């Protein structure tokens, strides 16, 4: 069982930056993949970025490449999402998620993740 708690959301102006954190609690981190999804008002939840806890690549949705960076701190058991050059369209609730033994072809699929955080609101507005 994996527990996830997000933090760091807030209000930011267009072009600004924000860093989200996700505290990860798990019995085992072996074969664990962790990622970020987001859901904007009136839209379906979409993939943002993911990585494998033990290493082995990072994955990004195309609109986030070059602007967002996913990372994890194994000592602090925390997942991060650094978001730069934020745009109005980045406004959404951001969720942290965890899945097990995810191959690259499934790591962007919402259904592949078995644990979810409660979400944190990010609002980009002038």
């Amino acid at each position: 069982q994996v527990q996830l708690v997000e933090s760091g959301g807030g209000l930011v102006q267009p072009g600004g930056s924000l860093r989200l954190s996700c505290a990860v609690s798990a019995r085992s981190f072996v074969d664990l993949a962790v990622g970020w999804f987001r859901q904007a008002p009136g839209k379906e939840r979409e993939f943002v970025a993911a990585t494998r806890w033990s290493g082995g690549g990072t994955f990004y949705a195309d609109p986030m490449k070059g602007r967002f960076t996913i990372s994890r701190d194994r000592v602090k058991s925390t997942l991060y999402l650094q978001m730069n050059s934020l745009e109005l369209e980045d406004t959404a609730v951001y969720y942290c998620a965890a899945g097990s033994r995810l191959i690259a072809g499934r790591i962007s699929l919402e259904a592949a993740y078995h644990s979810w955080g409660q979400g944190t609101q990010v609002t980009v507005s002038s």
Side-chain angles (χ1 to χ4, degrees):
Q1 186 175 1
V2 180
Q3 294 182 330
L4 307 163
V5 180
E6 303 97 332
S7 61
L11 175 64
V12 62
Q13 292 185 339
S17 298
L18 206 59
R19 189 178 78 161
L20 305 182
S21 300
C22 174
V24 183
S25 177
R27 290 184 178 180
S28 173
F29 287 85
V30 175
D31 294 329
L32 192 68
V34 285
W36 291 95
F37 288 75
R38 70 184 186 184
Q39 186 167 21
K43 296 187 177 181
E44 294 186 352
R45 190 153 53 183
E46 64 175 352
F47 172 73
V48 174
T51 186
R52 295 191 180 93
W53 195 263
S54 60
T58 55
F59 306 84
Y60 295 93
D62 286 343
M64 290 70 174
K65 290 180 180 177
R67 298 193 301 127
F68 291 8
T69 302
I70 189 171
S71 62
R72 79 273 184 271
D73 185 321
R74 295 185 198 179
V75 173
K76 295 182 178 179
S77 294
T78 301
L79 178 71
Y80 300 102
L81 183 68
Q82 177 66 44
M83 305 184 293
N84 299 327
S85 302
L86 284 163
E87 304 168 352
L88 298 176
E89 294 74 21
D90 294 317
T91 295
V93 177
Y94 284 71
Y95 296 90
C96 179
S100 301
R101 294 180 291 279
L102 298 185
I103 60 174
R106 289 181 55 81
I107 208 162
S108 64
L109 301 179
E110 179 181 352
Y113 292 78
H114 53 64
S115 300
W116 293 84
Q118 81 288 352
T120 185
Q121 176 70 48
V122 172
T123 301
V124 183
S125 175
S126 56

